[in-house]
Amino acid sequence: MAVGVWTVIEMRPNSCSHELCEDTQQDGVSTHKSSSLILVLMVASAAIGGTLQYGYNLAIMNAPTTYIQTFVNETFLERWDIQLENYQVTLVWTIIVSIFSFGGFVGALIAGPMTIRFGRKKCLLLNNIFLMTGALLALTSRAAKSFEMIIISRVLVGINAGISMNVQPMYFGESAPKHLRGAISLSSAVFTAFGVVLAQVVGLREMLGSESCWQYLLASNAVPGLIQLVTLPWFPESPRYLLIDRGDKDACINALRCLHGCEVPNSELKEILEEQAETKGMRPRRPWELFTDRSVRWQLISIMVISSAMQLCGNDSIYFYASYVFKEAGMSNDQIQYATIGTGTCEFTACIMCNLLIERKGRRFMLMGGFILMTIWAVVFTVALLSEGYISWMPYLSMTCVFTYILSFGMGPAGVTGILPTEIFNQRARPAAYMIAGSMMWLNLFIIGMIFPFLVSGLRAFCFVPFGAVCLLSALYVGLFLPETKGKSLSAITSEFQKLNFKDLDKRFPQEIGAQYHQGKVYLSTAL
């Protein structure tokens, strides 16, 4: 099958064949514009019911905090005639909030098998089952007088977010043209940040953030899911999945023609065929198999380190700390809810800027630059917190640090982290790699969410020193060990990593290993 497709490509290397463009009678410019529009609409459709849900459900719980705590207390009083203490109400509330991370962890684990069995697009569509069920439980929890339904709802929307955070970047990375792969994949982070802003706006008291509407606020995440269910079926599946996993040549060509335009498929199919040849006869890898495979050792270390750093840098925690900083700066409670929207807007703006710059500056530059800037702002933040009792304008510097820290996060780690597994793992290992990366992200989100209050109370003004240390170490790792992947084929990227994976063997067998580097393939002979 691969030889047959390759023959078709080689016969027409510089032209648009009738087979590839039989439906296109317009000139090249019109075709390019049409395919670009379809690609943009596909990205919007997948993301609005995908990673947008992660940001939306992460931030949506801030507004109804007091109302849900009151609901929990009233429920206990009515059922068992028990008046809960403040710490007990806080404990139940903490479970409601943090159980989202547990759901995300479960979603990350099942995302890989789902993408292999159903494909990238169908997996995103089926993922809405968890979302809709969770929204229904949240909507009816108040009438049923059951806070347990809210907990189950948070688990389900967490599963939805965990799946979409893994599948959507994979879908985008496999569907986008190589020269736009970074920008298209980074749109996942843009929609995540937009979800945060949207949740902050919808959660205003003037909208759904009032005492009478909190159940509708929790169920409002169903709206983006409905939009996806209506629109995404009209767009094609990942071309790489169609050809490599399903062996469907015609469907792959139609998908490329639809997404890229008729002048592109020759080069795109060539790269896909190369990857198909390398993985021919291989079954999809399992996560534990990657840990024992020396040929992907540094690829695996890289995604684990950077996925963990994305949460351990404390960016998500700073959203909770922002209210305290704004209050110290002299803002009233009414003003704080609008200032909090500014934090989400900062990350959204930064992600858009990163989207525009990533194909110019590269992944490595954006990632390392973001971590370095975050390290600097963590130091400034600490100095500002130490000086608040002595200098009157220091609270305003602290408030500024909140925005700049989030901006720096959005410029690099927020978006680039999700791209890496697509670019450094082949089709057979990619789902397993995303499972591992997603699991690390969700586990560390849970850990940092649990220990952050203790860091604040124990370290006080020095609470962001650990986060600054994580950012500094992450920047050093990226600078020393992560190769640039911008505009490179999988073979070229693999070749870069083999210099690390087989560094000791390179000295013993320089000619053999050198040939492997040149071909960008891995050969583990029994002699080694």
Side-chain angles (χ1 to χ4, degrees), residues 218-456:
L218 297 186
S220 61
N221 51 22
V223 176
L226 286 172
I227 294 174
Q228 184 184 78
L229 286 172
V230 172
T231 57
L232 190 59
W234 296 93
F235 298 102
E237 176 59 90
S238 156
R240 288 179 182 271
Y241 172 79
L242 291 171
L243 183 58
I244 298 175
D245 289 273
R246 289 178 47 186
D248 193 334
K249 177 193 71 173
D250 295 332
C252 175
I253 292 175
N254 290 333
L256 286 171
R257 181 177 59 187
C258 181
L259 294 172
H260 302 177
C262 68
E263 72 277 7
V264 178
N266 286 357
S267 61
E268 295 292 334
L269 262 178
K270 181 178 179 180
E271 183 179 345
I272 297 173
L273 283 165
E274 288 178 355
E275 186 174 345
Q276 184 195 39
E278 293 176 6
T279 59
K280 187 176 182 180
M282 298 171 57
R283 60 169 174 76
R285 308 290 297 278
R286 296 183 175 90
W288 53 88
E289 292 176 342
L290 299 186
F291 287 98
T292 59
D293 188 348
R294 182 170 185 166
S295 66
V296 295
R297 176 181 297 173
W298 280 96
Q299 292 96 312
L300 188 61
I301 292 173
S302 295
I303 64 167
M304 291 179 67
V305 168
I306 296 171
S307 296
S308 298
M310 182 179 176
Q311 298 299 342
L312 294 178
C313 70
N315 180 76
D316 289 338
S317 299
I318 208 171
Y319 283 111
F320 301 103
Y321 199 55
S323 296
Y324 167 77
V325 175
F326 297 147
K327 189 174 183 179
E328 288 295 307
M331 286 188 174
S332 65
N333 290 332
D334 289 336
Q335 292 173 324
I336 287 176
Q337 67 170 342
Y338 297 104
T340 303
I341 295 177
T343 60
T345 304
C346 275
E347 186 172 338
F348 179 52
T349 304
C351 286
I352 293 176
M353 292 172 61
C354 184
N355 195 286
L356 298 174
L357 292 173
I358 190 169
E359 293 300 346
R360 296 184 181 182
K361 299 298 184 181
R363 286 65 158 149
R364 193 165 172 265
F365 176 86
M366 301 299 291
L367 196 58
M368 187 165 59
F371 280 127
I372 290 174
L373 287 174
M374 291 170 75
T375 304
I376 294 171
W377 291 120
V379 173
V380 176
F381 196 20
T382 302
V383 173
L385 291 175
L386 286 170
S387 307
E388 280 183 353
Y390 308 99
I391 303 175
S392 60
W393 50 267
M394 274 299 168
Y396 296 98
L397 178 59
S398 300
M399 185 169 60
T400 302
C401 287
V402 171
F403 292 111
T404 52
Y405 196 88
I406 293 172
L407 277 168
S408 303
F409 177 78
M411 286 296 292
V416 180
T417 304
I419 300 173
L420 289 178
T422 296
E423 296 191 329
I424 66 179
F425 287 92
N426 65 31
Q427 190 80 2
R428 300 303 184 192
R430 197 170 292 136
Y434 266 106
M435 288 173 66
I436 295 170
S439 298
M440 295 303 299
M441 189 194 78
W442 287 102
L443 280 175
N444 284 290
L445 175 62
F446 178 77
I447 292 170
I448 208 67
M450 294 297 291
I451 69 172
F452 185 75
F454 300 100
L455 287 176
V456 174

Side-chain angles (χ1 to χ4, degrees), residues 66-82:
T66 304
Y67 309 132
I68 295 179
Q69 288 178 345
T70 302
F71 173 68
V72 169
N73 206 0
E74 291 175 348
T75 302
F76 268 87
L77 189 61
E78 183 175 339
R79 284 187 191 173
W80 300 294
D81 197 25
I82 297 175

Side-chain angles (χ1 to χ4, degrees), residues 36-274:
S36 298
L37 178 61
I38 292 174
L39 186 62
V40 169
L41 292 176
M42 182 272 286
V43 167
S45 175
I48 199 170
T51 54
L52 180 141
Q53 293 286 0
Y54 169 66
Y56 192 83
N57 289 294
L58 191 68
I60 204 174
M61 298 302 291
N62 292 331
T65 299
T66 304
Y67 309 132
I68 295 179
Q69 288 178 345
T70 302
F71 173 68
V72 169
N73 206 0
E74 291 175 348
T75 302
F76 268 87
L77 189 61
E78 183 175 339
R79 284 187 191 173
W80 300 294
D81 197 25
I82 297 175
Q83 181 70 47
L84 295 179
E85 300 290 338
N86 288 336
Y87 78 91
Q88 293 173 319
V89 175
T90 303
L91 177 61
V92 176
W93 170 249
T94 303
I95 293 173
I96 291 174
V97 173
S98 61
I99 204 72
F100 176 72
S101 301
F102 173 75
F105 176 69
V106 174
L109 291 178
I110 66 176
M114 284 183 68
T115 56
I116 294 170
R117 180 175 178 82
F118 301 109
R120 287 37 167 167
K121 187 183 79 169
K122 188 178 290 186
C123 182
L124 288 173
L125 291 170
L126 291 173
N127 191 27
N128 285 286
I129 295 174
F130 300 106
L131 177 69
M132 296 303 172
T133 306
L136 181 62
L137 288 172
L139 182 65
T140 55
S141 61
R142 189 170 190 174
K145 298 181 180 181
S146 172
F147 65 88
E148 296 91 345
M149 292 173 66
I150 301 178
I151 295 176
I152 298 173
S153 170
R154 290 291 290 174
V155 173
L156 292 173
V157 297
I159 294 174
N160 172 270
I163 293 174
S164 63
M165 289 289 285
N166 279 15
V167 179
Q168 184 182 304
M170 196 188 314
Y171 182 37
F172 289 174
E174 293 177 1
S175 300
K178 186 165 62 176
H179 66 286
L180 294 176
R181 190 171 56 200
I184 295 296
S185 297
L186 190 62
S187 62
S188 297
V190 175
F191 276 89
T192 298
F194 178 63
V196 171
V197 178
L198 185 62
Q200 291 169 340
V201 172
V202 175
L204 290 172
R205 294 186 187 94
E206 294 82 356
M207 298 190 72
L208 296 179
S210 62
E211 194 279 333
S212 60
C213 296
W214 62 260
Q215 71 274 25
Y216 302 109
L217 177 62
L218 297 186
S220 61
N221 51 22
V223 176
L226 286 172
I227 294 174
Q228 184 184 78
L229 286 172
V230 172
T231 57
L232 190 59
W234 296 93
F235 298 102
E237 176 59 90
S238 156
R240 288 179 182 271
Y241 172 79
L242 291 171
L243 183 58
I244 298 175
D245 289 273
R246 289 178 47 186
D248 193 334
K249 177 193 71 173
D250 295 332
C252 175
I253 292 175
N254 290 333
L256 286 171
R257 181 177 59 187
C258 181
L259 294 172
H260 302 177
C262 68
E263 72 277 7
V264 178
N266 286 357
S267 61
E268 295 292 334
L269 262 178
K270 181 178 179 180
E271 183 179 345
I272 297 173
L273 283 165
E274 288 178 355

